[in-house]
Amino acid sequence: MPVHIVSDIRGDFVSEFIKVGDLNGDGAPDLLFVQSVRATRAITCMTATSIHGAPLWQRGAPSAENGRIYSDLPVQVHDWDCDGRNEVLYVEQAVYVEPLLTAGWAIERAQRYEGDATMVVLDAATAQEKRRFPIPAPADDCFLFADLTGRGWRQDLVVKDRYWSMWGIAHSGETLWQWTGSTGHFPAICDIDGDGCDEVFVGFALLDQDGRELFCHDAGGAHQDAATVVQRADAEWLLAFGNGGAHCLLSDGRMLWQHPLVEAQHVIAGRFRADSALQFAVLDRGQPVDPRQPAGKRHPATLYLYDADGREIWRRIQPEGSAFAAIVGINWLGTPNLQQILVYSRGPRDPVAIYDGEGQILELLEPLARDDQGRAMDCYGMRADVWGDSRDEVILFGCDGARVYANARPLMLPTHYNQTLYPGM
């Protein structure tokens, strides 16, 4: 059997949002399940387990009703204190005195807040609170760690609201700056100019560590769905993102290439083929009707692979029902410096597949759960090397549970030759 199910975790605490990291300090990865009130980002329960589902701790009351997640949640696992042990950081919302509804049901922000939001820092091993400090009231969508102050470790924070503003927060809790614009879903960070501090690629802008715009393009009423920053072999930094189409900018803001796709929800950079050093995998989720085509013509979800200059290498049409498909780069084979592409939520029949750099399917994974008609239930996917064997495992998770899949094939290693009982060569 080429795929082995390592663990299968079920319970009222599972959710569509998990984090992977060493929580109990034993050096092995653990899982953190996070639940929230539906259509908001108000966190109700966090449950820590081992990779096999053994309970470690729980904070809050679990409920199956809170397992379905509307959006990204403001929770991260990181050695934020730089003391050799991880912390769990999460945001408690301010009071939404006058909430604003999106599409008539989602609560994304408020006309008026009461008090501040709060960043809470927990000991990852015990869930005991170590620290809390106020942050701007709207800043409860998601956050990431960055080095904005030259500390040599990512101990500062970049926090954001849903789509409109972003703040730089020092490790001390001081607000360093605020930027207002089209933030998109999640920024990317990197020290692009080599000054020891991180820049932030957010929406259609690149910000210096002090929040100053290095460049900013007109969003045109749109938002960024995916962002990645990668360095080319000639040391030039490339900033790629999905926004309807797929786009790639140079670090000075000039457009290198773009493709006018329908909905390029995910864009990832990696080396998926050995014939060049860098490629971009793009998942165009498509729409029931392609606005570029005559009325009534459907546009299926499509996986594309482009070279570093934006030239298409191949495309693969996804199965019917792949409107929510997503991709993750994964080292499934353990091949040094060569990745594969994990595609999940790609249809009700074969919802999870792993593609190689030639566009061939290496694996079809059994879904996390099926309904009474045998159709795969929606889930999310991520990768992590939970065994430390140089190969990534696949983690599928959702309201029905979480499951870890491992490549059960023997790892392909080079032949050992000129062996001797008298080592020293």
Side-chain angles (χ1 to χ4, degrees):
M1 184 71 178
V3 179
H4 173 62
I5 297 177
V6 175
S7 61
D8 196 353
I9 303 171
R10 311 287 163 157
D12 60 358
F13 59 86
V14 300
S15 77
E16 295 179 330
F17 189 93
I18 67 172
K19 293 292 182 180
V20 179
D22 180 13
L23 300 176
N24 59 8
D26 66 355
D30 303 301
L31 301 177
L32 182 66
F33 296 84
V34 185
Q35 295 183 333
S36 70
V37 177
R38 175 69 170 148
T40 79
R41 298 174 301 281
I43 295 167
T44 58
C45 182
M46 292 188 291
T47 303
T49 77
S50 73
I51 203 73
H52 296 289
L56 301 177
W57 53 259
Q58 190 170 76
R59 186 180 176 98
S63 169
E65 294 182 357
N66 293 333
R68 187 166 296 279
I69 304 303
Y70 161 67
S71 66
D72 206 348
L73 295 179
V75 180
Q76 295 284 1
V77 178
H78 179 48
D79 181 9
W80 188 62
D81 290 342
C82 199
D83 61 357
R85 300 184 303 274
N86 281 333
E87 285 76 44
V88 173
L89 284 79
Y90 74 98
V91 175
E92 290 182 352
Q93 287 188 324
V95 177
Y96 282 45
V97 179
E98 298 179 20
L100 297 172
L101 296 180
T102 299
W105 60 277
I107 302 176
E108 294 188 335
R109 59 175 171 169
Q111 180 70 30
R112 184 166 62 90
Y113 298 88
E114 183 178 289
D116 297 308
T118 303
M119 184 67 69
V120 182
V121 184
L122 305 179
D123 184 306
T126 65
Q128 294 299 307
E129 188 172 312
K130 298 179 66 173
R131 183 182 167 193
R132 63 171 51 216
F133 54 90
I135 61 175
D140 60 18
D141 181 71
C142 64
F143 65 92
L144 52 75
F145 300 100
D147 187 355
L148 303 177
T149 54
R151 301 172 66 93
W153 187 257
R154 285 177 171 165
Q155 292 181 282
D156 305 313
L157 300 164
V158 176
V159 300
K160 62 184 285 289
D161 61 12
R162 186 65 179 146
Y163 291 124
W164 306 277
S165 292
M166 176 171 287
W167 295 263
I169 308 291
H171 185 264
S172 63
E174 173 193 1
T175 298
L176 300 173
W177 48 261
Q178 177 181 355
W179 180 82
T180 300
S182 178
T183 64
H185 285 299
F186 200 87
I189 64 166
C190 191
D191 181 9
I192 292 176
D193 57 14
D195 65 352
C197 296
D198 286 322
E199 281 69 54
V200 182
F201 179 40
V202 51
F204 298 76
L206 181 64
L207 310 182
D208 212 349
Q209 69 266 17
D210 57 4
R212 177 175 57 90
E213 291 181 354
L214 299 176
F215 69 78
C216 184
H217 294 298
D218 183 5
H223 68 254
Q224 182 196 83
D225 282 321
T228 187
V229 178
V230 64
Q231 195 168 30
R232 208 164 51 184
D234 62 1
E236 174 65 56
W237 288 96
L238 304 182
L239 289 67
F241 64 100
N243 158 250
H247 313 266
C248 186
L249 309 177
L250 298 172
S251 59
D252 60 6
R254 287 178 296 159
M255 184 72 70
L256 179 63
W257 54 261
Q258 60 180 328
H259 293 282
L261 307 177
V262 175
E263 188 179 2
Q265 183 80 1
H266 292 78
V267 178
I268 57 176
R271 191 182 187 209
F272 306 103
R273 299 166 58 91
D275 55 3
S276 60
L278 177 67
Q279 300 93 37
F280 290 91
V282 177
L283 195 287
D284 181 6
R285 300 202 310 183
Q287 297 290 344
V289 177
D290 184 348
R292 302 170 302 173
Q293 301 293 337
K297 185 170 183 178
R298 299 177 65 83
H299 178 83
T302 306
L303 174 65
Y304 295 88
L305 190 69
Y306 301 109
D307 68 14
D309 294 317
R311 291 185 290 264
E312 183 180 318
I313 300 173
W314 49 255
R315 69 176 69 183
R316 296 292 182 268
I317 303 297
Q318 298 302 293
E320 183 72 19
S322 299
F324 296 103
I327 56 175
V328 175
I330 182 172
N331 188 356
W332 179 252
L333 299 179
T335 309
N337 303 315
L338 200 62
Q339 290 180 290
Q340 293 74 51
I341 305 168
L342 170 67
V343 188
Y344 60 91
S345 293
R346 61 187 290 271
R349 180 178 177 183
D350 296 313
V352 184
I354 299 175
Y355 286 81
D356 65 15
E358 302 297 327
Q360 304 302 312
I361 293 179
L362 297 175
E363 310 283 5
L364 291 172
L365 304 186
E366 177 63 23
L368 185 63
R370 293 187 184 273
D371 63 16
D372 294 339
Q373 285 74 46
R375 296 171 300 193
M377 304 293 285
D378 289 338
C379 70
Y380 292 86
M382 66 168 58
R383 56 107 178 104
D385 181 7
V386 301
W387 296 131
D389 65 352
S390 81
R391 292 188 291 193
D392 288 328
E393 282 68 53
V394 175
I395 304 175
L396 300 183
F397 57 97
C399 292
D400 299 289
R403 186 181 284 170
V404 180
Y405 303 75
N407 186 347
R409 296 183 181 89
L411 181 63
M412 295 178 63
L413 295 174
T415 299
H416 296 177
Y417 66 99
N418 285 357
Q419 290 179 300
T420 175
L421 295 178
Y422 300 90
M425 294 180 61

